Amino acid sequence: MMNSSTPNTATATVNDLFQTAETNGLDEAIERGRVALLARQQQDGHWCFELESDATITAEYILMMHFMDEIDDVLQEKMARYLRDTQVKDAHGGWPQYYGGDIDLSCTIKAYFALKAAGDDPEAEHMRMARKAILALGGAAKANVFTRILLALFEQVPWRATPYVPVEIMLLPRWFPFHIEKISYWARTTLVPLTVLCSLKAKAANPRKIHIRELFVTPPEQEHHYFVRGGLLNRTFLVLDKIGRFADRFIPNSVRRLAVKKAEAWFMPRLNGEDGIGAIFPPMVNSYEAMNLLGYPKDHPARQTCLRSIQKLVVHRADGSAYCQPCVSPIWDTVWSALTLMHTSGDDATQDAIARSTDWLTSKQELELKGDWAVQAPDLAPGGWAFQYNNAYYPDIDDTAVVAALLHIQDRRRGESGRHRINTDRAMDWMIGLQSKNGGFAAFDANNTHYHLNAIPFADHGALLDPPTEDVTGRVVAALGVLARPQDQESLRRGIDYLRSTQLEDGSWWGRWGSNYIYGTWSVLAGLALAGEDPRQPYIRKSIEWLRSRQHADGGWGETNDSYIDAALRGTNRNVSTPQSTAWAVLAQLAMGEAQSDSVKRGITFLLAHQQTSGALAGLWYHPSHNAPGFPRVYYLKYHGYTAYFPLWALTRYRQLTQSAAA
């Protein structure tokens, strides 16, 4: 971890240090970063950095192999090594949701189960430590819903320990209070094959007969408190859950067969080749296991392809360990890398790299298939980009906004105005067609705001929906400002109104897809700047002052993921600065014309001082922290690219603005 305890200094001293760093180091640092970033570009023009989560995905991969009786012992041992390495043995003894976080019960249960399946002795010190931590938190009966479903599939808990999720939901009409089209894309793709597994009471092969009864305070068959009772709506759903479970035995076999067929007919066309259904790990595994349950033989092409989509997520490390990514992020990494490189150098190699990246991105635009989003906008033509290599049913509004802006900027820079006009017009029309009623933009759908569904027993993770968010809206507002199409002005106004309405009392904005308020505030301020908002307005000055109030003594910024749990922690990180948070805070201020401020200069000094100078990451930056939520409070991610391109972009943007001011 980097030293973040540098004492505060007087302004004059800071300026002296900065002037020295700027004179001696800024150009050299940018050059080192440029070379390092270019070296990571793929031959076809794209970038794709590792995307790491917590221990759950890797643990689930091991358990999937035992569920299917398809155990790769070599890979299993590599993954077991990763799990052992990520256990917090010097503190709580379990596994957290993110670096530096408290123990997470469900994550720890899965990791323990996976290690035991991999052959670790339950009496080994690390296993005893984890078991003690689990029992101290109430045992495996207190795990979250998804973990209890996994345990039911392995016959470790009775099915009454899980929510009632009948496959017959596939037969419900759209007007019904619950419908798969009313939940988010990630919940939809995960749930549909899962209903098949749950309704047919699938059983893991579990060839080595691994059990975890030692993790229960009360024997699982005697436990009667699997569900936490919340408010009135939650209690109502729990009653309905019991009624549904009782009525399940009376469902005619013909109805169940019809529902299973409808579920199968839904998820099979969405398998998405070797990129996988939804291009995310959970639905891939559920679909793979459901195909096995439905009788697809091992050599069936669809089943083999689904397995390859899962296998392609595995990262093998030089130290002999391996882990499984939840998905991959090539579109996102490529567009930010290209924007970062744009002002690093005018040399042919750099400009050619940017051109190749835009050509690659252009080839990935979805212009034909109407995905699930079309339920809300059936007459809208497709035109978005996904987050992953290919995910045609689920293009991402966030990615689409940044790619459209990049293509427009690149055409303007190269004097080729209009070269990508058809691409950017299709993208902008598609995004505007998915603007929600409140003026904001979500990641994948419009008006996905059926908040009552977060009270159902299945949704204890609170991540069933995809409502509009400040950071995505900020990015769309930025794209609208960059392209400045006359027909988009009303949409832009509504977007800005949404952002103004969601600003918090202290001046910050919440971040849904990055950690957290620093990310959200940068996302919004960057968008407002490109949309032409006057930076002198009180609400913008308030946000700038909030950012400055969170700057550390060493000149950097950092934010703990605990701020998703306790909003009072927003913009704080126990005085530990990180490269990505510092870059976002600097970029936010630069967007609003603050290049000459002491705050920005101190942030730049921090980034210059913490660039890696040797080893595999030479020229880039590093910090072990998770820097984004998959789902706030539930699941977090570490974008390895965030410490590669955002700090470099902050340096290049600073140099560009200061040189322009001097000229």
Side-chain angles (χ1 to χ4, degrees), residues 34-49 333-334 337-338 341 348-360:
R34 180 188 74 88
V35 171
L37 191 55
L38 282 176
R40 285 157 175 78
Q41 187 177 29
Q42 303 293 319
Q43 189 63 37
D44 61 3
H46 83 280
W47 282 265
C48 189
F49 290 88
D333 288 333
T334 300
S337 294
L341 287 170
D348 291 342
T350 303
Q351 298 309 311
D352 177 66
I354 297 170
R356 287 190 295 115
S357 73
T358 56
D359 288 345
W360 183 83

Side-chain angles (χ1 to χ4, degrees), residues 167-432:
V167 70
E168 284 75 21
I169 64 172
M170 299 301 300
L171 305 178
L172 295 174
R174 287 181 178 173
W175 54 262
F176 200 75
F178 180 90
H179 192 276
I180 61 167
E181 292 171 358
K182 293 181 178 179
I183 59 179
S184 63
Y185 115 71
W186 56 83
R188 194 180 312 140
T189 52
T190 299
L191 180 61
V192 172
L194 188 62
T195 62
V196 176
L197 295 171
C198 292
S199 296
L200 301 184
K201 302 295 190 290
K203 294 181 180 180
N206 196 11
R208 299 176 186 176
K209 306 304 177 188
I210 306 300
H211 71 83
I212 53 168
R213 288 185 66 86
E214 67 270 22
L215 298 186
F216 290 86
V217 175
T218 302
E221 62 276 5
Q222 298 175 24
E223 177 66 62
H224 292 285
H225 300 286
Y226 284 108
F227 293 94
V228 176
R229 295 184 178 276
L232 177 61
L233 187 58
N234 174 260
R235 293 198 298 272
T236 301
F237 277 122
L238 284 174
V239 170
L240 294 174
D241 185 90
K242 288 184 177 180
I243 294 172
R245 198 181 304 277
F246 174 79
D248 187 84
R249 70 196 71 180
F250 303 111
I251 295 176
N253 289 335
S254 59
V255 173
R256 175 135 293 175
R257 287 194 298 270
L258 176 63
V260 169
K261 284 294 183 185
K262 190 163 185 180
E264 181 183 7
W266 189 91
F267 75 78
M268 288 299 290
R270 290 170 171 78
L271 287 180
N272 191 32
E274 292 191 8
D275 293 280
I277 179 170
I280 50 178
F281 177 85
M284 294 182 199
V285 171
N286 289 346
S287 298
Y288 185 57
E289 294 175 353
M291 278 191 277
N292 179 57
L293 185 64
L294 294 174
Y296 286 76
K298 191 172 183 178
D299 61 353
H300 190 283
R303 181 170 159 178
Q304 288 184 329
T305 301
C306 186
L307 177 59
R308 285 195 295 273
S309 71
I310 300 169
Q311 292 170 333
K312 287 172 68 174
L313 294 174
V314 176
V315 173
H316 295 269
R317 289 185 160 172
D319 64 1
S321 66
Y323 76 93
C324 185
Q325 302 173 104
C327 64
V328 291
S329 53
I331 303 294
W332 195 240
D333 288 333
T334 300
V335 67
W336 288 117
S337 294
L339 283 167
T340 295
L341 287 170
M342 199 162 276
H343 296 288
T344 57
S345 174
D347 72 300
D348 291 342
T350 303
Q351 298 309 311
D352 177 66
I354 297 170
R356 287 190 295 115
S357 73
T358 56
D359 288 345
W360 183 83
L361 287 167
T362 302
S363 73
K364 292 297 181 180
Q365 187 176 18
E366 180 54 53
L367 298 171
E368 297 180 4
L369 190 145
K370 287 190 175 185
D372 289 3
W373 53 265
V375 171
Q376 290 292 324
D379 298 325
L380 185 62
W385 276 268
F387 178 75
Q388 306 88 349
Y389 286 104
N390 299 291
N391 195 7
Y393 275 91
Y394 307 106
D396 188 320
I397 293 173
D398 212 1
D399 290 74
T400 300
V402 189
V403 175
L406 168 67
L407 294 180
H408 181 82
I409 293 168
Q410 175 71 349
D411 287 353
R412 192 172 59 199
R413 289 178 67 245
R414 292 168 65 97
E416 298 175 335
S417 179
R419 179 184 177 190
H420 291 101
R421 179 71 56 78
I422 187 171
N423 305 98
T424 56
D425 280 348
R426 287 286 294 270
M428 301 306 292
D429 291 345
W430 178 74
M431 287 191 295
I432 290 171

Side-chain angles (χ1 to χ4, degrees), residues 557-638:
W557 283 262
E559 183 160 4
T560 172
N561 285 307
D562 291 344
S563 63
Y564 285 104
I565 302 168
D566 182 0
L569 297 174
R570 56 178 171 257
T572 68
N573 195 35
R574 302 178 185 91
N575 290 319
V576 175
S577 299
T578 63
Q580 67 275 1
S581 292
T582 302
W584 295 331
V586 168
L587 286 165
Q589 294 181 74
L590 291 176
M592 288 299 170
E594 299 292 323
Q596 298 299 327
S597 73
D598 175 67
S599 176
V600 166
K601 291 178 179 179
R602 292 173 58 214
I604 293 295
T605 301
F606 173 87
L607 292 176
L608 291 173
H610 289 78
Q611 187 180 35
Q612 300 289 303
T613 57
S614 61
L617 295 176
L620 303 179
W621 287 258
Y622 173 76
H623 196 272
S625 58
H626 288 65
N627 45 40
F631 311 117
R633 297 171 175 248
V634 179
Y635 183 70
Y636 295 85
L637 303 168
K638 182 194 295 185

Side-chain angles (χ1 to χ4, degrees), residues 125-161:
E125 177 62 23
H126 68 288
M127 296 290 278
R128 288 194 296 107
M129 188 182 298
R131 182 166 64 250
K132 180 180 178 181
I134 291 168
L135 293 173
L137 292 172
K142 303 301 181 184
N144 64 24
V145 161
F146 281 111
T147 302
R148 298 204 306 273
I149 290 175
L150 175 68
L151 296 181
L153 292 170
F154 275 84
E155 301 177 86
Q156 302 301 297
V157 297
W159 279 102
R160 63 179 174 80

Side-chain angles (χ1 to χ4, degrees), residues 520-537:
T521 302
W522 160 65
S523 301
V524 172
L525 289 181
L528 292 174
L530 289 168
E533 282 288 278
D534 187 342
R536 296 170 296 180
Q537 294 180 83

